[in-house]
């Protein structure tokens, strides 16, 4: 991949390519060249040079997103390179910035922003070792703890204790790194590196630990909160969370599966749901909401109508929405602002075809991402779908895995998709005619891979040829059978797997005990 580089950048690459020479010469380098040398070092994975650049950083701020993003000197965006060598060198360099008393540069650094790093599936770094969000959380917490221990034990320059650097980071906490992160947050006041949590993801954590750590993060600065797998948060816990903690800057909220279940609602539960809606209404910055796999039949209006800011992203996949819910969404003030919408797991053609298309027409001018997986979209619905998608000229992503569509219908749909100018990513189902006759939808996990793989490959080639002939090589088309890539799940899947096995074992033991008592 060739990228435009200025002569300055090519010179910077030449300078840092000899690590020993570059490290010796840093004292003579002008302040304004440090960002240029940092990006060149990151591109070439020169860990030692990165460490020394950060250790001697002469500027007021260190923003990873800006430093690695496209610049006039180098148009390549490196912010999606989570190279382990480079990121570890950054964080250890930051620790040594605090400890280095002989640096020729005055210590001006006040803010380090690590939030611009993007975790992606395909990495281009040579070392092939990535450092994901969980590992970055772990390492920064470790660096802060080590720094405090060293400062307590060593004879340090009094000026060292006056250093105060806010480190902005997206924290990712699970059972495995919980203690380390808690210790770092508890000692934040006395540590020169102060962890400032901008986004928080909690996974595989008891409710008690979640409530404790979320208070330590200083929720008043939190922009994004994700409570996901194996955090057993139910509606009553969510009400306690919102009543006890204020999130004035929260823009994005993801709740775990089964937070709500209206099928077992009492009058008290109805009041609780209203209270939660009102509390969300107080979050004036909230524009992204993910409530997938909760049962919300007939209650969408109660939850969303108190919101004062229109939602830009809404995920209500597998939420058992009824016609009243869809009618509310289509007519609400959110409809004209939705940039990302996930309605997977609802039988759209059967339950509310006209209301869905009304919603689609209202958000068509801004919609960037649409997910309709397992929605029972069949060949007879394709023309109607094309009609509904035609105004969505800003659509970048369309996912419709798990729908019973034939090869022929997919080809027809792909011919249309070529006309959407902004489209970049399509996730399409295995054609129905690749499965054995009589297969029922939605397809269970056991039958998911039991299709004619050779026939599928032929169809996939034909679909890609349609894109190619329309000069749309920029569109990536794929069939991720078990869901899209999730960097966070990928990074912690061993811990998640161990937890699921433990849960299954405990359930089995309880069942056996109950059975023995009955016997």
């Amino acid at each position: 991949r060739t990228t435009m580089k200025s002569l300055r950048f090519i010179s910077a690459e030449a300078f840092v390519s000899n690590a020993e020479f570059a490290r010796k010469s840093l004292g003579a380098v002008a302040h304004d060249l440090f960002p240029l040398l940092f990006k060149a070092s990151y591109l070439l994975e020169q860990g030692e040079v990165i460490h020394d650049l950060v250790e001697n950083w002469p500027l007021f701020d260190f923003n990873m997103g800006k430093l690695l993003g496209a610049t006039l000197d180098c148009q390549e965006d490196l912010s999606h390179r989570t190279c382990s060598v480079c990121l570890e060198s950054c964080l250890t360099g930051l620790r040594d910035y605090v400890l280095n008393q002989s640096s020729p540069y005055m210590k001006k650094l006040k803010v380090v922003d690590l939030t611009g790093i993007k975790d992606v599936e395909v990495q281009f770094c040579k070392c092939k070792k990535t450092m994901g969000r969980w590992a970055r959380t772990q390492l920064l917490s470790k660096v802060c703890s080590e720094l405090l221990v060293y400062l307590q034990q060593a004879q340090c320059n009094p000026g060292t204790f006056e250093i105060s650097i806010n480190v902005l980071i997206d924290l990712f906490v699970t059972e495995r790194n919980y203690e380390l992160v808690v210790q770092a947050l508890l000692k934040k006041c006395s540590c020169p590196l102060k962890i400032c949590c901008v986004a928080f993801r909690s996974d595989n954590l008891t409710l008690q630990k979640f409530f404790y750590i979320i208070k330590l993060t200083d929720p008043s600065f939190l922009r994004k909160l994700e409570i996901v797998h194996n955090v057993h948060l139910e509606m009553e816990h969510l009400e306690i969370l919102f009543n006890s903690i204020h999130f004035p800057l929260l823009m994005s909220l993801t709740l775990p599966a089964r937070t709500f279940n209206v099928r077992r609602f009492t009058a008290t539960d109805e009041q609780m749901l209203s209270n939660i809606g009102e509390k969300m209404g107080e979050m004036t910055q909230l524009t992204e909401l993910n409530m997938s796999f909760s049962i919300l039949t007939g209650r969408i209006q109660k939850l969303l109508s108190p919101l004062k800011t229109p939602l830009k992203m809404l995920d209500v996949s597998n939420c058992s929405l009824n016609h009243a819910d869809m009618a509310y969404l289509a007519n609400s003030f959110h409809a004209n602002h939705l940039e990302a919408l996930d309605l997977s797991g609802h039988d759209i053609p059967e339950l509310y075809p006209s209301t869905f298309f009304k919603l689609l027409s209202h958000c068509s001018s801004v919609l960037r991402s649409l997910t309709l997986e397992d929605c029972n979209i069949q060949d007879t619905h394709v023309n109607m779908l094309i009609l509904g998608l035609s105004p969505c000229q800003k659509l970048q992503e369309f996912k419709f895995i798990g729908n019973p569509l034939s090869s022929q219908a997919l080809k027809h749909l792909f011919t249309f998709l070529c006309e959407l100018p902004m489209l970049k990513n399509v996730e399409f189902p295995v054609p129905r005619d690749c499965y054995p006759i009589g297969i029922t939808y939605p397809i269970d996990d056991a039958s998911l891979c039991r299709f004619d793989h050779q026939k599928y490959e032929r169809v996939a080639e034909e679909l890609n040829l349609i894109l190619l002939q329309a000069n749309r090589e920029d569109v990536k088309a794929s069939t991720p059978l078990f869901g899209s890539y999730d960097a966070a799940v990928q990074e912690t899947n061993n811990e998640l797997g161990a937890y699921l096995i433990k849960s299954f074992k405990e359930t089995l033991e309880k069942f056996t005990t109950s059975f023995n008592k009955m016997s």
Side-chain angles (χ1 to χ4, degrees), residues 501-517:
I501 291 166
K502 181 171 170 274
S503 297
F504 179 69
K505 187 167 171 277
E506 285 170 0
T507 306
L508 211 59
E509 283 168 0
K510 283 176 189 171
F511 175 77
T512 308
T513 308
S514 303
F515 186 75
N516 289 340
K517 280 179 184 174

Side-chain angles (χ1 to χ4, degrees), residues 182-193:
V182 163
Q183 288 309 309
L185 291 171
L186 278 171
K187 294 168 184 170
K188 178 178 170 178
C189 291
S190 39
C191 185
L193 297 179

Side-chain angles (χ1 to χ4, degrees), residues 398-468:
F398 181 39
K399 301 177 180 180
F400 57 108
I401 299 275
N403 287 293
L405 292 164
S406 68
S407 309
Q408 209 53 45
L410 284 171
K411 288 173 199 173
H412 181 35
L413 186 54
F414 263 66
T415 304
F416 157 72
L417 291 176
C418 292
E419 296 170 18
L420 296 176
M422 310 286 279
L423 196 66
K424 289 283 176 283
N425 185 36
V426 177
E427 292 184 3
F428 65 94
V430 173
R432 193 187 63 227
D433 40 300
C434 289
Y435 280 105
I437 294 167
I439 188 92
T440 54
Y441 285 78
I443 302 170
D444 58 64
D445 287 350
S447 309
L448 206 54
C449 294
R450 293 177 186 163
F451 59 88
D452 185 333
H453 287 257
Q454 284 186 324
K455 185 173 182 180
Y456 165 77
E457 290 299 336
R458 284 198 302 274
V459 175
E461 274 181 35
E462 287 172 29
L463 295 175
N464 274 303
L465 188 63
I466 290 170
L467 294 172
L468 202 64

